[in-house]
Amino acid sequence: LSLLTAGRGASHGLADDASGEGSRAPLRAARLAALLPPGALDLPASLEHHTDLPTLAEGGVRLTVAIGTACGITSPATTHRPLVCAQLELAAGSHIALPVDPTFEHGLLVDDGAITADDARATVAELVVLPAGRTYVRLTAGDAPTRLLILGGPPAGDETVLWWGLAAPGHEGIATARADWAAQRTRRAHGADPNARFGRVDDGAAP
């Protein structure tokens, strides 16, 4: 898990670290974003890497918790609001009654195979949305091994405005962030400021 907390602002990108032609392997990953609560929007940016995430394995079921707590195991990753993100792997045809936090809404995103969640069926790249209020969900894997992400958190109660990769509690905050971004990219040609709001900004960044 690589976890970037943008806080007041950060720029980032993806790099290919393949060491030579013919050495590349397909990258299987999920890139997810969660909104910070208003009280954390001015935090300094930070980056965490976690290579040993807690895992629970039993009888054809394997659960790895990346964010928050699921089935009694907790990730060491930092969060600023209640969230859960976990990878669930199921053997073909297996069944499980998965306990969930009743205060959370949940999304089940299928990465491989197919599942039936209560009465809803989903296959690769499909999302099952579960409203808050339940204490468990019944899952059945299809006729092949299945892998999915469990995503969850309380229903959002604060108003947050999104624009491109920016988030703020109102339109004024977005306008300020856009102006800061544009000014910083303009100044980049005259030398980077390590203390600037968005850190280092490279060529090719989106406007």
Side-chain angles (χ1 to χ4, degrees), residues 9-171:
S11 63
H12 63 95
L14 299 176
D16 184 352
D17 64 355
S19 58
E21 195 157 330
S23 65
R24 297 183 181 182
L27 176 65
R28 194 80 175 203
R31 183 176 178 184
L32 305 170
L35 296 174
L36 289 171
L41 292 175
D42 286 327
L43 291 174
S46 63
L47 181 64
E48 299 177 23
H49 295 285
H50 299 278
T51 58
D52 188 18
L53 295 171
T55 298
L56 178 66
E58 182 178 343
V61 177
R62 182 180 178 87
L63 179 75
T64 303
V65 181
I67 298 285
T69 299
C71 296
I73 58 175
T74 300
S75 166
T78 302
T79 58
H80 297 278
R81 71 189 325 159
L83 294 170
V84 65
C85 175
Q87 177 176 281
L88 180 64
E89 299 167 82
L90 301 171
S94 60
H95 305 268
I96 180 175
L98 181 74
V100 294
D101 188 328
T103 66
F104 282 14
E105 296 175 321
H106 288 86
L108 308 177
L109 178 62
V110 180
D111 178 57
D112 199 14
I115 60 159
T116 299
D118 291 338
D119 296 326
R121 189 176 188 279
T123 186
V124 175
E126 293 181 338
L127 178 73
V128 176
V129 177
L130 306 174
R134 64 177 62 218
T135 56
Y136 68 91
V137 57
R138 295 185 183 278
L139 299 175
T140 301
D143 56 6
T146 296
R147 180 173 58 241
L148 63 143
L149 286 179
I150 303 166
L151 310 170
D158 48 278
E159 180 181 344
T160 302
V161 179
L162 303 178
W163 181 83
W164 178 51
L166 305 175
H171 289 281

Side-chain angles (χ1 to χ4, degrees), residues 156-192:
D158 48 278
E159 180 181 344
T160 302
V161 179
L162 303 178
W163 181 83
W164 178 51
L166 305 175
H171 289 281
E172 183 178 345
I174 291 292
T176 299
R178 286 178 61 181
D180 289 348
W181 175 261
Q184 188 172 331
R185 292 197 70 201
T186 300
R187 292 194 302 268
R188 174 173 34 80
H190 306 288

